[in-house]
Amino acid sequence: LNAISVKGFGEAEYWFAAIKVVTVIVFIALGLAMVLGILQGGAPEGIWGNLANWTVGDAPFAGGFAALIGVAMIVGFSFQGTELIGIAAGESEDPARNVPRAVRKVFWRILLFYVFAILIISLLLPYNDPQLLRNDVSDISVSPFTLVFERAGLLSAAAVMNAVVLTSVLSAGNSGMYASTRMLYTLACQRMAPRIFAHVNRNGVPMLALLATTAVAALCFLTNIFSPQAVYIWLLNLSGMTGFIAWLGIAISHYRFRKGYEAQGLSLAALPYRAAAFPFGPIFAFVLCLIITLGQNYQAFIQDRIDWGGVVATYIGLPLFLLIWLGYRLVMGSRIVPYSEMKVKAEPY
Protein backbone atom coordinates (compact mmCIF):
# COMPACT_ATOMS: atom_id res chain seq x y z
CA LEU A 1 0.00 0.00 0.00
CA ASN A 2 2.82 2.40 0.79
CA ALA A 3 4.67 1.44 -2.40
CA ILE A 4 1.76 2.44 -4.66
CA SER A 5 1.63 6.17 -3.87
CA VAL A 6 0.61 8.46 -1.06
CA LYS A 7 -2.89 8.32 -2.53
CA GLY A 8 -2.89 4.54 -2.11
CA PHE A 9 -1.83 4.93 1.51
CA GLY A 10 -4.47 7.59 2.15
CA GLU A 11 -7.25 5.58 0.49
CA ALA A 12 -6.38 2.49 2.52
CA GLU A 13 -6.31 4.49 5.76
CA TYR A 14 -9.67 6.05 4.88
CA TRP A 15 -11.35 2.64 4.68
CA PHE A 16 -9.46 1.24 7.67
CA ALA A 17 -10.63 4.25 9.68
CA ALA A 18 -14.19 3.98 8.37
CA ILE A 19 -14.39 0.38 9.60
CA LYS A 20 -13.12 1.38 13.05
CA VAL A 21 -15.39 4.42 13.33
CA VAL A 22 -18.54 2.51 12.41
CA THR A 23 -17.60 -0.34 14.76
CA VAL A 24 -16.91 1.94 17.73
CA ILE A 25 -20.20 3.83 17.21
CA VAL A 26 -22.12 0.53 17.10
CA PHE A 27 -20.19 -0.69 20.15
CA ILE A 28 -21.01 2.46 22.15
CA ALA A 29 -24.70 2.23 21.20
CA LEU A 30 -24.95 -1.44 22.20
CA GLY A 31 -22.87 -0.84 25.32
CA LEU A 32 -25.18 1.96 26.45
CA ALA A 33 -28.17 -0.31 25.86
CA MET A 34 -26.51 -2.95 28.07
CA VAL A 35 -25.66 -0.42 30.79
CA LEU A 36 -29.25 0.85 30.84
CA GLY A 37 -30.66 -2.69 30.98
CA ILE A 38 -32.20 -2.64 27.51
CA LEU A 39 -29.93 -5.50 26.35
CA GLN A 40 -28.62 -8.41 28.40
CA GLY A 41 -25.06 -8.39 29.65
CA GLY A 42 -25.25 -5.48 32.06
CA ALA A 43 -26.09 -5.49 35.75
CA PRO A 44 -29.76 -6.24 36.57
CA GLU A 45 -29.97 -2.98 38.54
CA GLY A 46 -29.10 -0.92 35.47
CA ILE A 47 -26.50 1.85 35.45
CA TRP A 48 -26.17 1.96 39.26
CA GLY A 49 -25.41 -1.73 39.34
CA ASN A 50 -22.75 -1.33 36.66
CA LEU A 51 -21.10 1.44 38.67
CA ALA A 52 -20.20 -1.26 41.19
CA ASN A 53 -17.37 -2.28 38.83
CA TRP A 54 -15.57 0.90 39.95
CA THR A 55 -15.49 -0.35 43.54
CA VAL A 56 -14.47 -3.99 42.96
CA GLY A 57 -11.21 -4.92 44.67
CA ASP A 58 -8.71 -2.09 44.27
CA ALA A 59 -10.77 -0.29 41.63
CA PRO A 60 -10.86 2.29 40.19
CA PHE A 61 -7.06 2.66 40.50
CA ALA A 62 -5.79 -0.89 40.94
CA GLY A 63 -2.08 -0.84 41.74
CA GLY A 64 -2.07 2.81 42.78
CA PHE A 65 0.02 5.61 41.29
CA ALA A 66 2.81 3.29 40.12
CA ALA A 67 0.40 1.27 37.97
CA LEU A 68 -1.22 4.45 36.66
CA ILE A 69 2.11 5.82 35.45
CA GLY A 70 3.27 2.42 34.22
CA VAL A 71 0.21 1.79 32.08
CA ALA A 72 0.55 5.27 30.54
CA MET A 73 3.39 3.98 28.38
CA ILE A 74 1.20 1.18 27.00
CA VAL A 75 -1.62 3.63 26.41
CA GLY A 76 0.79 6.02 24.71
CA PHE A 77 2.12 3.25 22.48
CA SER A 78 -1.44 2.45 21.37
CA PHE A 79 -2.42 6.09 20.99
CA GLN A 80 0.64 7.45 19.19
CA GLY A 81 -0.23 8.51 15.67
CA THR A 82 -2.09 11.80 16.00
CA GLU A 83 1.16 13.51 15.03
CA LEU A 84 0.78 11.89 11.60
CA ILE A 85 -1.34 14.94 10.72
CA GLY A 86 1.83 17.00 10.62
CA ILE A 87 3.81 14.37 8.73
CA ALA A 88 1.12 13.95 6.07
CA ALA A 89 0.70 17.72 5.64
CA GLY A 90 3.50 17.89 3.07
CA GLU A 91 1.67 15.48 0.75
CA SER A 92 -1.92 16.50 1.41
CA GLU A 93 -4.11 18.63 -0.82
CA ASP A 94 -4.58 22.19 0.47
CA PRO A 95 -2.86 21.58 3.85
CA ALA A 96 -3.54 25.15 5.04
CA ARG A 97 -7.26 24.30 5.05
CA ASN A 98 -7.37 20.56 5.71
CA VAL A 99 -4.72 20.16 8.41
CA PRO A 100 -6.24 22.72 10.84
CA ARG A 101 -9.64 21.10 10.32
CA ALA A 102 -8.21 17.69 11.15
CA VAL A 103 -6.40 19.01 14.24
CA ARG A 104 -9.54 20.64 15.62
CA LYS A 105 -11.46 17.37 15.33
CA VAL A 106 -8.83 15.34 17.19
CA PHE A 107 -10.10 16.31 20.65
CA TRP A 108 -13.66 15.20 19.95
CA ARG A 109 -12.51 12.00 18.30
CA ILE A 110 -10.36 11.15 21.33
CA LEU A 111 -13.32 11.85 23.61
CA LEU A 112 -15.68 9.65 21.59
CA PHE A 113 -13.51 6.80 20.36
CA TYR A 114 -11.14 6.45 23.32
CA VAL A 115 -12.60 7.89 26.50
CA PHE A 116 -16.27 7.08 25.95
CA ALA A 117 -15.58 3.57 24.66
CA ILE A 118 -13.33 2.81 27.65
CA LEU A 119 -16.00 4.26 29.99
CA ILE A 120 -18.53 1.79 28.55
CA ILE A 121 -16.09 -1.11 28.98
CA SER A 122 -15.37 -0.14 32.60
CA LEU A 123 -19.09 -0.11 33.39
CA LEU A 124 -19.65 -3.56 31.89
CA LEU A 125 -16.43 -5.41 32.81
CA PRO A 126 -14.63 -5.37 36.16
CA TYR A 127 -10.86 -4.99 35.88
CA ASN A 128 -10.35 -8.46 37.43
CA ASP A 129 -12.57 -10.32 34.96
CA PRO A 130 -10.93 -13.74 34.44
CA GLN A 131 -11.21 -13.47 30.65
CA LEU A 132 -9.20 -10.26 30.48
CA LEU A 133 -5.43 -9.87 30.50
CA ARG A 134 -4.08 -11.38 33.70
CA ASN A 135 -0.36 -10.79 33.27
CA ASP A 136 2.04 -9.15 30.83
CA VAL A 137 1.75 -11.15 27.62
CA SER A 138 1.27 -14.87 28.22
CA ASP A 139 -2.42 -15.02 29.15
CA ILE A 140 -4.49 -12.86 26.82
CA SER A 141 -7.92 -14.41 26.40
CA VAL A 142 -10.37 -12.00 24.79
CA SER A 143 -10.37 -8.40 23.64
CA PRO A 144 -12.64 -6.34 25.96
CA PHE A 145 -14.57 -5.12 22.90
CA THR A 146 -15.20 -8.69 21.81
CA LEU A 147 -16.09 -9.74 25.35
CA VAL A 148 -18.77 -7.05 25.63
CA PHE A 149 -20.47 -8.35 22.47
CA GLU A 150 -20.29 -11.89 23.84
CA ARG A 151 -21.93 -10.77 27.10
CA ALA A 152 -24.75 -9.27 25.04
CA GLY A 153 -25.28 -12.67 23.37
CA LEU A 154 -24.14 -11.34 19.98
CA LEU A 155 -21.65 -14.05 19.06
CA SER A 156 -21.64 -13.09 15.37
CA ALA A 157 -20.85 -9.49 16.34
CA ALA A 158 -18.03 -10.76 18.55
CA ALA A 159 -16.56 -12.62 15.57
CA VAL A 160 -16.83 -9.48 13.44
CA MET A 161 -15.11 -7.55 16.24
CA ASN A 162 -12.10 -9.86 16.00
CA ALA A 163 -11.90 -9.09 12.29
CA VAL A 164 -12.07 -5.36 13.05
CA VAL A 165 -9.20 -5.76 15.53
CA LEU A 166 -7.19 -7.32 12.69
CA THR A 167 -7.93 -4.36 10.39
CA SER A 168 -6.79 -2.05 13.21
CA VAL A 169 -3.48 -3.91 13.34
CA LEU A 170 -3.11 -3.54 9.57
CA SER A 171 -3.94 0.16 9.85
CA ALA A 172 -1.32 0.63 12.58
CA GLY A 173 1.30 -1.11 10.45
CA ASN A 174 0.30 0.86 7.36
CA SER A 175 0.47 4.25 9.09
CA GLY A 176 3.63 3.35 11.02
CA MET A 177 5.33 2.37 7.78
CA TYR A 178 4.30 5.66 6.16
CA ALA A 179 5.49 7.78 9.09
CA SER A 180 8.84 6.02 9.40
CA THR A 181 9.48 6.20 5.67
CA ARG A 182 8.68 9.91 5.41
CA MET A 183 10.77 10.72 8.49
CA LEU A 184 13.77 8.92 7.00
CA TYR A 185 13.18 10.66 3.67
CA THR A 186 13.00 14.09 5.33
CA LEU A 187 16.15 13.41 7.34
CA ALA A 188 17.94 12.47 4.11
CA CYS A 189 16.72 15.66 2.39
CA GLN A 190 18.12 17.69 5.29
CA ARG A 191 21.42 15.75 5.17
CA MET A 192 20.76 14.17 8.56
CA ALA A 193 20.64 10.67 7.02
CA PRO A 194 22.31 9.10 3.95
CA ARG A 195 21.28 11.00 0.83
CA ILE A 196 20.33 7.79 -0.95
CA PHE A 197 17.10 7.72 1.05
CA ALA A 198 16.03 11.07 -0.46
CA HIS A 199 15.42 9.46 -3.87
CA VAL A 200 11.77 9.17 -4.96
CA ASN A 201 10.25 7.22 -7.86
CA ARG A 202 7.87 8.59 -10.50
CA ASN A 203 4.92 8.18 -8.09
CA GLY A 204 6.66 10.34 -5.49
CA VAL A 205 7.35 7.41 -3.15
CA PRO A 206 10.79 7.26 -1.47
CA MET A 207 11.20 3.57 -2.28
CA LEU A 208 14.69 3.12 -0.83
CA ALA A 209 13.53 4.66 2.45
CA LEU A 210 10.48 2.38 2.35
CA LEU A 211 12.64 -0.72 1.75
CA ALA A 212 14.96 0.24 4.61
CA THR A 213 11.98 0.74 6.93
CA THR A 214 10.51 -2.60 5.83
CA ALA A 215 13.81 -4.38 6.50
CA VAL A 216 14.00 -3.03 10.05
CA ALA A 217 10.33 -3.84 10.69
CA ALA A 218 10.88 -7.39 9.43
CA LEU A 219 13.45 -7.92 12.17
CA CYS A 220 10.56 -8.00 14.64
CA PHE A 221 9.72 -11.48 13.33
CA LEU A 222 12.99 -12.68 14.82
CA THR A 223 11.36 -12.41 18.25
CA ASN A 224 9.99 -15.93 17.72
CA ILE A 225 13.55 -17.28 17.54
CA PHE A 226 14.49 -15.88 20.94
CA SER A 227 12.10 -15.23 23.83
CA PRO A 228 8.90 -13.86 22.28
CA GLN A 229 7.56 -12.47 25.57
CA ALA A 230 10.79 -10.76 26.66
CA VAL A 231 11.58 -9.33 23.22
CA TYR A 232 8.00 -8.12 22.86
CA ILE A 233 8.25 -6.17 26.13
CA TRP A 234 11.57 -4.65 25.00
CA LEU A 235 10.10 -3.61 21.64
CA LEU A 236 6.96 -2.26 23.32
CA ASN A 237 8.96 -0.16 25.78
CA LEU A 238 11.37 1.01 23.08
CA SER A 239 8.56 2.08 20.75
CA GLY A 240 6.47 3.64 23.50
CA MET A 241 9.43 5.50 25.02
CA THR A 242 10.61 6.92 21.69
CA GLY A 243 7.04 8.00 20.98
CA PHE A 244 6.94 10.01 24.18
CA ILE A 245 10.37 11.46 23.35
CA ALA A 246 8.91 12.56 20.00
CA TRP A 247 6.01 14.21 21.82
CA LEU A 248 8.49 15.99 24.09
CA GLY A 249 10.24 17.26 20.97
CA ILE A 250 6.93 18.41 19.47
CA ALA A 251 6.08 20.36 22.65
CA ILE A 252 9.50 22.05 22.66
CA SER A 253 9.35 22.79 18.92
CA HIS A 254 5.89 24.30 19.16
CA TYR A 255 6.80 26.46 22.14
CA ARG A 256 10.03 27.75 20.57
CA PHE A 257 8.40 28.33 17.17
CA ARG A 258 5.66 30.51 18.66
CA LYS A 259 8.16 32.40 20.81
CA GLY A 260 10.44 32.96 17.83
CA TYR A 261 7.52 33.98 15.64
CA GLU A 262 6.38 36.58 18.15
CA ALA A 263 9.96 37.72 18.89
CA GLN A 264 10.36 38.70 15.23
CA GLY A 265 7.25 40.87 15.38
CA LEU A 266 5.17 38.73 13.02
CA SER A 267 1.38 38.60 13.17
CA LEU A 268 -0.24 35.43 14.50
CA ALA A 269 -3.18 36.13 12.19
CA ALA A 270 -0.98 35.02 9.27
CA LEU A 271 -0.70 31.48 10.64
CA PRO A 272 -3.11 28.91 9.14
CA TYR A 273 -3.52 27.32 12.58
CA ARG A 274 -2.91 28.66 16.08
CA ALA A 275 -3.01 26.19 18.97
CA ALA A 276 -5.19 27.27 21.86
CA ALA A 277 -3.96 27.79 25.44
CA PHE A 278 -0.45 28.85 24.46
CA PRO A 279 1.96 28.78 26.27
CA PHE A 280 0.21 26.54 28.82
CA GLY A 281 -0.52 23.80 26.27
CA PRO A 282 3.02 22.87 25.21
CA ILE A 283 4.36 23.36 28.76
CA PHE A 284 1.70 21.04 30.19
CA ALA A 285 2.36 18.48 27.44
CA PHE A 286 6.10 18.61 28.08
CA VAL A 287 5.78 18.17 31.85
CA LEU A 288 3.24 15.34 31.55
CA CYS A 289 5.29 13.45 28.95
CA LEU A 290 8.42 13.93 31.06
CA ILE A 291 6.71 12.49 34.16
CA ILE A 292 5.52 9.46 32.20
CA THR A 293 8.91 8.99 30.52
CA LEU A 294 11.01 9.18 33.69
CA GLY A 295 8.45 7.64 36.05
CA GLN A 296 7.79 4.43 34.11
CA ASN A 297 9.60 2.12 36.50
CA TYR A 298 10.44 4.43 39.38
CA GLN A 299 9.39 1.81 41.94
CA ALA A 300 12.39 -0.28 40.85
CA PHE A 301 14.70 2.32 42.43
CA ILE A 302 12.94 2.44 45.80
CA GLN A 303 13.06 -1.29 46.49
CA ASP A 304 15.73 -3.01 48.56
CA ARG A 305 17.24 -4.54 45.45
CA ILE A 306 17.13 -2.83 42.06
CA ASP A 307 15.91 -4.98 39.17
CA TRP A 308 18.43 -3.76 36.61
CA GLY A 309 17.02 -6.01 33.91
CA GLY A 310 13.60 -4.41 34.28
CA VAL A 311 15.13 -0.94 34.44
CA VAL A 312 17.07 -1.47 31.21
CA ALA A 313 14.02 -2.93 29.45
CA THR A 314 11.94 0.08 30.51
CA TYR A 315 14.36 2.89 29.76
CA ILE A 316 16.22 1.47 26.74
CA GLY A 317 14.79 4.22 24.51
CA LEU A 318 16.37 7.07 26.51
CA PRO A 319 20.08 6.21 26.04
CA LEU A 320 19.41 5.30 22.40
CA PHE A 321 17.89 8.73 21.77
CA LEU A 322 20.62 10.59 23.68
CA LEU A 323 23.33 8.68 21.79
CA ILE A 324 21.90 9.64 18.39
CA TRP A 325 21.07 13.24 19.39
CA LEU A 326 24.36 14.02 21.11
CA GLY A 327 26.30 12.19 18.40
CA TYR A 328 24.70 14.33 15.70
CA ARG A 329 25.37 17.55 17.61
CA LEU A 330 29.01 16.65 18.14
CA VAL A 331 29.63 15.55 14.54
CA MET A 332 27.67 18.34 12.83
CA GLY A 333 28.37 21.07 15.37
CA SER A 334 24.71 22.06 15.59
CA ARG A 335 23.45 24.58 18.14
CA ILE A 336 20.21 25.90 19.59
CA VAL A 337 18.95 28.60 17.22
CA PRO A 338 18.11 31.93 18.92
CA TYR A 339 14.59 33.25 18.45
CA SER A 340 15.85 36.17 16.36
CA GLU A 341 17.57 33.86 13.85
CA MET A 342 14.73 31.41 13.32
CA LYS A 343 13.47 31.01 9.77
CA VAL A 344 9.73 31.53 10.09
CA LYS A 345 7.16 32.20 7.40
CA ALA A 346 4.92 35.22 7.94
CA GLU A 347 2.58 35.01 4.95
CA PRO A 348 -0.30 32.47 4.82
CA TYR A 349 0.69 29.09 3.39
Side-chain angles (χ1 to χ4, degrees):
L1 291 172
N2 274 272
I4 299 172
S5 66
V6 69
K7 184 177 181 180
F9 160 78
E11 190 72 18
E13 279 304 293
Y14 174 83
W15 290 108
F16 281 143
I19 293 171
K20 288 185 286 186
V21 168
V22 171
T23 303
V24 171
I25 291 175
V26 171
F27 170 81
I28 291 175
L30 291 176
L32 277 175
M34 294 169 66
V35 169
L36 296 174
I38 300 173
L39 285 178
Q40 67 176 17
E45 302 88 353
I47 187 170
W48 300 112
N50 287 292
L51 284 172
N53 286 339
W54 292 0
T55 60
V56 172
D58 297 329
F61 300 108
F65 181 75
L68 189 65
I69 292 295
V71 78
M73 185 62 70
I74 311 300
V75 173
F77 166 78
S78 303
F79 178 67
Q80 284 155 12
T82 52
E83 67 276 8
L84 283 176
I85 295 173
I87 298 173
E91 297 183 89
S92 62
E93 183 178 349
D94 194 7
R97 174 176 175 270
N98 293 325
V99 172
R101 287 178 60 193
V103 171
R104 293 187 183 101
K105 293 177 181 178
V106 166
F107 171 81
W108 300 107
R109 289 172 179 172
I110 291 172
L111 188 66
L112 176 63
F113 299 122
Y114 284 84
V115 179
F116 203 37
I118 292 172
L119 174 64
I120 294 295
I121 291 173
S122 71
L123 289 171
L124 295 173
L125 300 175
Y127 79 93
N128 55 1
D129 188 290
Q131 288 187 281
L132 292 176
L133 176 65
R134 290 194 287 272
N135 57 39
D136 287 337
V137 288
S138 63
D139 197 12
I140 302 173
S141 178
V142 180
S143 159
F145 290 92
T146 302
L147 191 56
V148 166
F149 282 124
E150 288 185 357
R151 295 283 176 87
L154 303 172
L155 296 180
S156 58
V160 171
M161 193 69 215
N162 286 330
V164 172
V165 170
L166 178 59
T167 64
S168 299
V169 173
L170 294 173
S171 174
N174 190 40
S175 60
M177 190 75 72
Y178 174 82
S180 301
T181 300
R182 287 336 188 253
M183 287 179 184
L184 181 57
Y185 164 75
T186 302
L187 288 171
C189 290
Q190 297 179 354
R191 300 185 182 276
M192 296 181 181
R195 290 284 294 172
I196 190 174
F197 296 125
H199 174 73
V200 296
N201 62 15
R202 61 182 180 180
N203 293 326
V205 178
M207 280 300 300
L208 294 177
L210 178 61
L211 292 173
T213 302
T214 305
V216 174
L219 294 176
C220 295
F221 290 106
L222 295 177
T223 58
N224 285 324
I225 298 177
F226 303 101
S227 174
Q229 296 177 19
V231 176
Y232 172 76
I233 294 298
W234 277 65
L235 290 173
L236 185 66
N237 288 328
L238 179 61
S239 179
M241 183 68 75
T242 51
F244 274 98
I245 292 172
W247 284 349
L248 285 168
I250 291 171
I252 294 172
S253 298
H254 175 224
Y255 179 85
R256 297 199 75 244
F257 167 76
R258 281 283 294 266
K259 285 293 185 180
Y261 196 87
E262 294 171 359
Q264 295 184 28
L266 301 173
S267 173
L268 293 177
L271 293 174
Y273 175 78
R274 296 182 301 279
F278 184 86
F280 172 77
I283 294 174
F284 174 76
F286 178 84
V287 172
L288 188 61
C289 289
L290 191 63
I291 291 173
I292 294 172
T293 301
L294 299 180
Q296 270 309 289
N297 198 13
Y298 78 91
Q299 67 269 28
F301 297 100
I302 60 177
Q303 296 176 355
D304 296 335
R305 185 177 180 182
I306 298 177
D307 177 16
W308 289 109
V311 169
V312 172
T314 301
Y315 296 103
I316 184 65
L318 286 177
L320 182 62
F321 162 73
L322 291 174
L323 178 66
I324 296 173
W325 181 66
L326 290 174
Y328 178 83
R329 292 202 65 175
L330 290 173
V331 172
M332 304 301 293
S334 62
R335 62 186 179 91
I336 297 176
V337 180
Y339 292 143
S340 59
E341 297 180 16
M342 286 183 177
K343 296 179 180 179
V344 291
K345 198 170 186 179
E347 70 275 7
Y349 294 101

